[in-house]
Amino acid sequence: MSDMNTKMKAKSGFFKSLLFFLLALLGGHLAESLIYGVALNTIVGNVWRDGYESNAVGIITAYGIIIHVVFCIVYTVVTTRSVTYRDSFKAEIKNGSSVGAIFKKFYIKHLSYEIPVYFAVLLPFTIYFAFITNVDLANSFAFEKFYIAELWIYVITKNALLGIIISSLIFFIVLFAVRFIVTAVTRKNLIENSVTLS
């Protein structure tokens, strides 16, 4: 009976994590598109209209990378604030686990749902991009802006399949780099303040 309860809790936790990641991605993309619309849309549009298309792409590239880093930091910090996470982390430190071992235990398993969810979120834009001839950054509309963090990759590669693959690689490299740094910093802080491990 206890095994069944454990399995049900694990399954419930998995679906909660999946749903939270999906909502975080959708919310993040919405926020990223709104920030872009307010801060950069006019600038990029004017640069593109003036014929400096590579400069316009350069601006959205810089924005896309920066906003990915910001999203990954916020998402990682939010997901490490729970009591369950902290208790599990402290237990790993007490067992003498290294940064790499803790990182592997806490995060590698997330790829089983994070990669499919990220692909699913990008799929509508990937299909859309496969059927259009070009993106006009001077007249981009809400759907295109929703994917502004990845749009630059599609524009540069001019290929929908490469766009989704490279977008995913970049996103997960940034996400896992941030997670590794947060793991290392958290472990260091908890060890230095070893009173919190009791």
Side-chain angles (χ1 to χ4, degrees):
M1 191 73 177
S2 62
D3 283 348
M4 187 178 264
N5 285 340
T6 305
K7 283 180 182 176
M8 287 190 68
K9 279 182 183 177
K11 207 170 189 179
S12 173
F14 175 83
F15 283 113
K16 279 181 184 174
S17 297
L18 187 154
L19 183 60
F20 183 76
F21 182 63
L22 173 61
L23 293 175
L25 275 181
L26 295 175
H29 275 76
L30 181 60
E32 291 159 7
S33 67
L34 291 173
I35 293 166
Y36 173 80
V38 171
L40 291 172
N41 187 52
T42 304
I43 296 167
V44 171
N46 288 338
V47 172
W48 183 273
R49 209 175 284 111
D50 289 342
Y52 301 104
E53 295 181 1
S54 59
N55 291 352
V57 173
I59 295 168
I60 65 167
T61 299
Y63 177 74
I65 293 169
I66 291 166
I67 212 70
H68 262 338
V69 172
V70 171
F71 171 83
C72 291
I73 290 170
V74 171
Y75 178 72
T76 301
V77 169
V78 168
T79 54
T80 58
R81 291 292 180 205
S82 72
V83 175
T84 307
Y85 176 89
R86 286 281 170 168
D87 289 346
S88 300
F89 204 106
K90 288 174 186 177
E92 289 299 318
I93 294 172
K94 283 179 182 176
N95 291 335
S97 300
S98 65
V99 173
I102 296 171
F103 174 79
K104 186 178 176 183
K105 180 173 182 178
F106 279 81
Y107 293 118
I108 296 302
K109 61 186 176 185
H110 294 333
L111 287 173
S112 65
Y113 66 84
E114 287 176 342
I115 290 175
V117 167
Y118 190 74
F119 262 75
V121 169
L122 289 191
L123 196 57
F125 183 75
T126 305
I127 293 168
Y128 162 80
F129 192 84
F131 287 100
I132 63 169
T133 52
N134 65 329
V135 171
D136 181 2
L137 292 179
N139 297 293
S140 58
F141 55 98
F143 178 72
E144 292 172 339
K145 288 186 184 74
F146 186 77
Y147 293 96
I148 195 64
E150 296 88 9
L151 178 63
W152 62 276
I153 301 166
Y154 288 79
V155 172
I156 290 171
T157 61
K158 296 182 173 146
N159 184 292
L161 182 61
L162 280 177
I164 195 170
I165 291 169
I166 296 171
S167 292
S168 300
L169 279 173
I170 290 172
F171 177 79
F172 284 103
I173 287 168
V174 172
L175 179 61
F176 275 76
V178 168
R179 282 174 166 171
F180 190 84
I181 292 165
V182 168
T183 302
V185 170
T186 304
R187 182 178 179 275
K188 181 174 178 287
N189 289 343
L190 287 174
I191 290 171
E192 285 177 355
N193 303 300
S194 55
V195 67
T196 61
L197 292 174
S198 55

